[in-house]
Amino acid sequence: MADDKFYMKQALAEAERAADRGEVPVGAVVVCRDRIIARAHNLTETLNDVTAHAEMQAITAAANALGAKYLNDCTLYVTVEPCVMCAGAIAWAQTGRLVFGASDEKRGYQRYAPESLHPKTVVVSGILADECAGLMKEFFKKRR
Ligand SMILES: [Zn+2]
């Protein structure tokens, strides 16, 4: 739990980096055996690519760091509940653990595809949820 908060703070730092460049502030880190092997944030505007969500970037970077495609021994931390696309990618990567901060009632996988994760993936939610949601609210308030 203490570790989850620590790593979620790292994901939040990534989300802030996204906000700084005008991206929707979602950040992610991948941790393998107490080491951060990937840090990423949403890049959909920068890359002009709707698939460039933080989780997608993080999974690709983690697989590169490991030199292997499966993330069974890893925990993916992400500030906001993954969407259906990312939940699918998290499943394909056979991610060991998924920890997310804020829930996303509009786009989150839990509403549309609650069975989409790999059956062995352990899910923890609500870590630093207020901070994670706060960044999103602040960002969309500024954009209006
Ligand atoms: Zn996504």
Side-chain angles (χ1 to χ4, degrees):
M1 183 72 182
D3 278 356
D4 283 346
K5 276 191 183 164
F6 172 81
Y7 290 122
M8 188 57 81
K9 275 186 190 151
Q10 307 295 307
L12 267 166
E14 281 298 315
E16 274 161 20
R17 238 164 256 159
D20 287 346
R21 57 200 298 179
E23 297 279 1
V24 172
V26 181
V29 297
V30 177
V31 175
C32 188
R33 297 191 186 93
D34 298 322
R35 206 164 60 86
I36 294 177
I37 60 166
R39 298 171 187 269
H41 54 260
N42 179 35
L43 285 172
T44 51
E45 300 297 328
T46 307
L47 299 180
N48 230 354
D49 179 357
V50 294
T51 72
H53 287 183
E55 301 95 312
M56 307 292 276
Q57 307 296 312
I59 288 166
T60 302
N64 280 335
L66 290 174
K69 63 186 171 186
Y70 294 129
L71 305 180
N72 317 66
D73 294 331
C74 302
T75 300
L76 176 88
Y77 291 85
V78 59
T79 55
V80 179
E81 180 187 344
C83 70
V84 172
M85 170 184 73
C86 291
I90 289 163
W92 283 118
Q94 299 185 7
T95 311
R97 258 177 110 230
L98 164 67
V99 179
F100 66 86
S103 295
D104 183 351
E105 255 125 61
K106 280 190 192 144
R107 294 297 188 110
Y109 78 94
Q110 293 190 125
R111 177 175 165 194
Y112 299 104
E115 311 281 312
S116 55
L117 293 180
H118 193 275
K120 282 187 181 160
T121 301
V122 175
V123 181
V124 177
S125 64
I127 303 295
L128 301 180
D130 291 345
E131 288 92 327
C132 294
L135 260 185
M136 294 286 273
K137 274 182 206 140
E138 200 180 312
F139 180 80
F140 286 110
K141 203 162 70 186
K142 270 189 208 150
R143 282 234 294 206
R144 245 182 265 134

